[in-house]
Amino acid sequence: MGRIVYYTATTLDGFLADPADSLDWLLRQPLDDGGAGDYTRFIADVGAIVMGSTTYEWVLAHDPGSWAYDVPSWVMTSRTLPLPAAAGADVRFASGPVGALAPGLRAAAGEKDVWIVGGGDLAGQFADAGLLDEIVTSIAPVTLGAGRPLFPRRADLELLTVERNAGFIVARHRYTGPLQEDRV
Ligand SMILES: NC(=O)c1ccc[n+]([C@@H]2O[C@H](COP(=O)([O-])OP(=O)(O)OC[C@H]3O[C@@H](n4cnc5c(N)ncnc54)[C@H](OP(=O)(O)O)[C@@H]3O)[C@@H](O)[C@H]2O)c1
């Protein structure tokens, strides 16, 4: 069975996007393709993905007419949203507790990993359900002061690896559970 991994870029002060959902601060960063945290290597081990509706709407708006993922993809939403225009996109909508979704995600992924694309609260929902294995962050040399949070939870993590890619710190953490001080 694969892992459930939250893999994302973030600012140094813990934001996935600015308050207007802009990623301009990220998309302008130089990156060493094939270096630490490389997306192509990461996605080769991914068998299914899950994302929240804000992320999905960002992807649709910024890449209209195409769908970048060739694995089964779940979008969490309480609304009725359009499917991608791209032929062959395997997108499924779901809502409610992520624990109910996990068996389907794992079955689709097989031996491969499940990728939580974001946002941060969705990753937190998996953590709350005891389903989150790892958080892999590419930390950009940027602060925003406000925006969409990386992981709005109190948690303990174990640092597994840390590498550098151009201006990014690439860190892999194991999620070990709620913050020790909060455990009863
Ligand atoms: N830096 C990066 O690499 C990176 C990575 C990922 C995302 N992002 C960006 O970060 C931002 C994330 O946005 P966000 O914080 O709003 O998070 P999000 O997870 O993309 O979207 C949150 C929305 O998803 C729906 N949702 C979440 N869990 C649900 C559940 N269990 N059942 C039903 N619906 C559920 C809800 O909306 P509705 O029910 O109203 O649909 C919720 O408001 C976006 O701008 C995205 O583009 C950046």
Side-chain angles (χ1 to χ4, degrees):
M1 188 170 70
R3 299 159 304 164
I4 299 186
V5 180
Y6 176 35
Y7 166 98
T8 188
T10 176
T11 66
L12 182 64
D13 57 344
F15 297 106
L16 298 178
D18 84 0
D21 290 310
S22 172
L23 294 181
D24 291 351
W25 56 272
L26 174 62
L27 300 175
R28 68 175 160 77
Q29 298 296 327
L31 196 62
D32 170 17
D33 290 331
D38 180 55
Y39 175 77
T40 306
R41 254 194 335 268
F42 170 75
I43 199 74
D45 289 330
V46 168
I49 71 176
V50 58
M51 67 182 72
S53 63
T54 313
T55 301
Y56 176 68
E57 290 182 300
W58 188 95
V59 171
L60 288 192
H62 287 79
D63 211 357
S66 73
W67 180 248
Y69 311 105
D70 61 4
V71 296
S73 307
W74 274 261
V75 174
M76 303 304 297
T77 185
S78 59
R79 295 172 292 141
T80 302
L81 295 175
L83 284 165
D90 182 348
V91 170
R92 309 151 189 211
F93 298 106
S95 65
V98 296
L101 192 71
L105 278 169
R106 287 196 194 280
E111 293 302 306
K112 293 191 167 187
D113 295 336
V114 172
W115 174 23
I116 304 169
V117 183
D121 182 71
L122 181 61
Q125 293 175 47
F126 279 85
D128 297 343
L131 291 165
L132 179 64
D133 294 309
E134 286 187 17
I135 302 178
V136 181
T137 46
S138 290
I139 304 167
V142 169
T143 61
L144 289 171
R148 305 290 191 174
L150 168 65
F151 192 66
R153 294 295 187 277
R154 290 158 59 94
D156 277 321
L157 306 163
E158 176 192 359
L159 181 61
L160 300 176
T161 60
V162 62
E163 296 173 280
R164 175 180 187 168
N165 185 320
F168 289 85
I169 300 164
V170 182
R172 243 180 83 224
H173 286 90
R174 190 169 71 84
Y175 172 77
T176 60
L179 198 72
Q180 187 176 317
E181 290 72 17
D182 296 343
R183 296 180 203 169
V184 284

